């Protein structure tokens, strides 16, 4: 066996302390949002498959909004085009931050997750295309299984109680950010209807004003929220999917810190908006989109129609093999070595977890088969079943290594000197070693004192009255 190269670049290694703190805060909110997403999804399925199913359809199809502005939309439509714009706004901020201050700012470090994400989107599309080429199905849904739902994946981790090391969680988050970028491009390029150039021009002008106000340092939600609503409305009427407006505005925010700033404007706004996205926008979208029939005939259709089978296999097989294969190839050709504390089965488990494609997959499914309501519902059922299968598969793989993950997580969290900084980040600091020596000496003195008291107590007991 070849000796490890001490100069080789490691991947999935320890994050810097600021990056680790940011990732932990972001994932904590996403985990809570993911649990709400699970609850909303289960509620939608139960609602749609009980005698109250007709009321689910009636509520989802209830129209509201100013028709004069072209915004007389159903509640389901408002959730998909309106609320998800908030989700994509946060995704835009995440992407901007990753590009200027996160894992994607260094081209060498970014190569691996970017290649893994690209392969993780190409492989499911190829699996879908292959299944439908053999079965004679429609190629319209090739993009449905390409997306990863980070909130759903984190909810699964929370439910099974697996404390992944921060490097694996950051890798999953970076994958999801790049995944969202390509999903945005797919929606913008392949699911744009006939363009209304007047409305599109107005949206572009609005975005220009938004950018100018940011550069001038203008503050106040009462300025930006109305402007954002105008941009969104114009984008919706332009024929370009309205969520693109959210992404564009998110990318415009400054995510680098100036001197004296604890947080950049982008980080501050993301901190405010992320709970709204994860806790309200995405669960409500799931409530109005996940209500599909789970009867025997509907489940049979998932396995009998090439479109639905392609979606399911794309999520379960394509995502896992694409991300794992892309990661392995990128590591091999960039001569990067896996972190010594982890093994390739860990990467495979995270790759299988990325097969949970929920929010964006449901959205693309609605767009891809908009003219066929029955097939749209069957594709949604395939997304749900494929995501559930990927979640179960990932749980089994992660549970096999749960003791290793818990040991790594506890080592990362250990803070014996109680200074708020994990000890693993202070081991090269001489002051840390002095503090730890003092702590150990204090504990040793306390132990000696207790031993002396115990000996004295035993001596008193043995003395004659």
């Amino acid at each position: 066996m070849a000796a490890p190269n001490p100069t080789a670049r490691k991947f999935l290694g320890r994050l810097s302390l600021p990056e680790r703190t940011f990732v932990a805060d972001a994932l904590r909110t996403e985990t809570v949002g993911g649990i709400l997403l699970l609850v909303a999804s289960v509620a939608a399925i139960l609602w749609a498959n009980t005698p109250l199913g007709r009321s689910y359809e009636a509520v989802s199809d209830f129209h509201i909004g100013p028709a004069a502005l072209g915004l007389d939309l159903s509640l389901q439509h408002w959730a998909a085009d309106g609320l998800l714009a908030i989700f994509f706004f946060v995704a835009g901020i995440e992407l901007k931050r990753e590009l200027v201050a996160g894992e994607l700012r260094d081209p060498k470090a970014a190569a691996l997750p970017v290649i893994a994400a690209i392969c993780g989107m190409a492989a499911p599309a190829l699996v879908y295309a292959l299944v439908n080429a053999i079965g004679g199905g429609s190629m319209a849904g090739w993009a449905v299984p390409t997306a990863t739902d980070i909130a759903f994946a984190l909810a699964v981790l929370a439910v099974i109680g697996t404390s992944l090391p921060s490097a694996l969680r950051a890798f999953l988050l970076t994958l999801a950010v790049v995944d969202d970028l390509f999903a945005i491009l797919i929606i913008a390029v392949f699911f744009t209807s006939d363009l209304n150039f007047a409305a599109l021009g107005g949206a572009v002008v609005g975005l220009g004003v938004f950018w100018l106000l940011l550069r001038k340092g203008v503050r106040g939600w009462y300025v930006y929220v109305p402007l954002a609503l105008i941009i969104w409305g114009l984008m919706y009427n332009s024929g370009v999917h309205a969520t693109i407006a959210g992404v564009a505005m998110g990318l415009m925010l400054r995510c680098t810190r100036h001197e004296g700033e604890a947080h950049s404007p982008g980080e501050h706004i993301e901190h405010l908006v992320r709970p709204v996205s994860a806790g309200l926008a995405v669960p409500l979208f799931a409530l109005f989109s996940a209500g599909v029939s789970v009867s025997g005939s509907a489940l049979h259709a998932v396995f009998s129609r090439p479109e639905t089978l392609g979606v399911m296999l794309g999520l379960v097989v394509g995502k896992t093999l694409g991300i794992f294969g892309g990661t392995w190839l990128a590591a091999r050709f960039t001569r990067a070595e896996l972190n010594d504390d982890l093994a390739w089965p860990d990467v495979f488990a995270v790759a299988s977890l990325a097969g949970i494609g929920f929010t964006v997959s449901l959205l693309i499914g609605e767009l891809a088969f908009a003219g066929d309501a029955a097939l749209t519902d069957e594709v949604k059922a395939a997304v749900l079943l494929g995501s559930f299968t990927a979640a179960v598969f990932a749980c089994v793989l992660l549970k096999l290594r749960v003791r290793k993950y818990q040991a790594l997580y506890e080592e990362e969290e250990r803070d014996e000197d109680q200074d708020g900084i994990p000890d693993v980040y202070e081991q090269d600091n001489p002051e840390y070693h002095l503090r730890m020596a003092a702590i150990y000496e204090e504990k040793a003195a306390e132990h000696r004192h207790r031993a002396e008291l115990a000996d004295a107590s035993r001596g008193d007991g043995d003395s004659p009255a």
Side-chain angles (χ1 to χ4, degrees), residues 113 168 242 257 359 448 453:
L168 283 177
R257 300 177 187 178
T359 305
R448 289 194 299 270
L453 290 177

mmCIF file of all heavy atoms in Angstrom, residues 113 168 242 257 359 448 453:
data_model
loop_
_atom_site.group_PDB
_atom_site.id
_atom_site.type_symbol
_atom_site.label_atom_id
_atom_site.label_comp_id
_atom_site.label_asym_id
_atom_site.label_seq_id
_atom_site.Cartn_x
_atom_site.Cartn_y
_atom_site.Cartn_z
ATOM 1 N N PRO A 113 -16.924 19.781 -4.718
ATOM 2 C CA PRO A 113 -18.383 19.804 -4.580
ATOM 3 C C PRO A 113 -19.114 20.220 -5.855
ATOM 4 O O PRO A 113 -20.222 19.747 -6.105
ATOM 5 C CB PRO A 113 -18.620 20.813 -3.445
ATOM 6 C CG PRO A 113 -17.381 21.627 -3.366
ATOM 7 C CD PRO A 113 -16.278 20.733 -3.789
ATOM 8 N N LEU A 168 -19.074 16.746 6.837
ATOM 9 C CA LEU A 168 -20.066 16.074 6.000
ATOM 10 C C LEU A 168 -21.307 16.933 5.840
ATOM 11 O O LEU A 168 -21.909 16.986 4.761
ATOM 12 C CB LEU A 168 -20.432 14.720 6.607
ATOM 13 C CG LEU A 168 -19.421 13.579 6.423
ATOM 14 C CD1 LEU A 168 -19.892 12.330 7.142
ATOM 15 C CD2 LEU A 168 -19.189 13.293 4.953
ATOM 16 N N ALA A 242 -41.384 33.184 -11.765
ATOM 17 C CA ALA A 242 -41.267 34.293 -10.813
ATOM 18 C C ALA A 242 -40.198 34.064 -9.753
ATOM 19 O O ALA A 242 -39.677 35.030 -9.172
ATOM 20 C CB ALA A 242 -42.625 34.535 -10.144
ATOM 21 N N ARG A 257 -17.773 41.004 4.773
ATOM 22 C CA ARG A 257 -17.838 41.898 5.922
ATOM 23 C C ARG A 257 -16.840 43.039 5.783
ATOM 24 O O ARG A 257 -15.681 42.816 5.437
ATOM 25 C CB ARG A 257 -17.547 41.117 7.201
ATOM 26 C CG ARG A 257 -18.513 39.977 7.463
ATOM 27 C CD ARG A 257 -18.137 39.199 8.714
ATOM 28 N NE ARG A 257 -18.976 38.014 8.872
ATOM 29 C CZ ARG A 257 -18.853 37.136 9.857
ATOM 30 N NH1 ARG A 257 -17.908 37.328 10.785
ATOM 31 N NH2 ARG A 257 -19.653 36.090 9.936
ATOM 32 N N THR A 359 -38.805 19.591 -2.594
ATOM 33 C CA THR A 359 -39.408 20.884 -2.933
ATOM 34 C C THR A 359 -39.227 21.244 -4.403
ATOM 35 O O THR A 359 -40.197 21.465 -5.131
ATOM 36 C CB THR A 359 -38.800 21.994 -2.044
ATOM 37 O OG1 THR A 359 -38.960 21.631 -0.675
ATOM 38 C CG2 THR A 359 -39.485 23.319 -2.302
ATOM 39 N N ARG A 448 -7.455 14.824 45.100
ATOM 40 C CA ARG A 448 -6.624 14.522 46.274
ATOM 41 C C ARG A 448 -7.339 14.927 47.555
ATOM 42 O O ARG A 448 -7.292 14.206 48.561
ATOM 43 C CB ARG A 448 -5.276 15.252 46.160
ATOM 44 C CG ARG A 448 -4.347 14.679 45.096
ATOM 45 C CD ARG A 448 -2.927 15.215 45.269
ATOM 46 N NE ARG A 448 -2.865 16.656 45.132
ATOM 47 C CZ ARG A 448 -2.654 17.294 43.982
ATOM 48 N NH1 ARG A 448 -2.486 16.592 42.859
ATOM 49 N NH2 ARG A 448 -2.603 18.611 43.934
ATOM 50 N N LEU A 453 -10.225 13.383 52.558
ATOM 51 C CA LEU A 453 -11.432 13.386 53.400
ATOM 52 C C LEU A 453 -11.960 11.971 53.600
ATOM 53 O O LEU A 453 -12.418 11.610 54.689
ATOM 54 C CB LEU A 453 -12.512 14.252 52.749
ATOM 55 C CG LEU A 453 -12.259 15.766 52.737
ATOM 56 C CD1 LEU A 453 -13.379 16.486 51.986
ATOM 57 C CD2 LEU A 453 -12.164 16.297 54.170
#
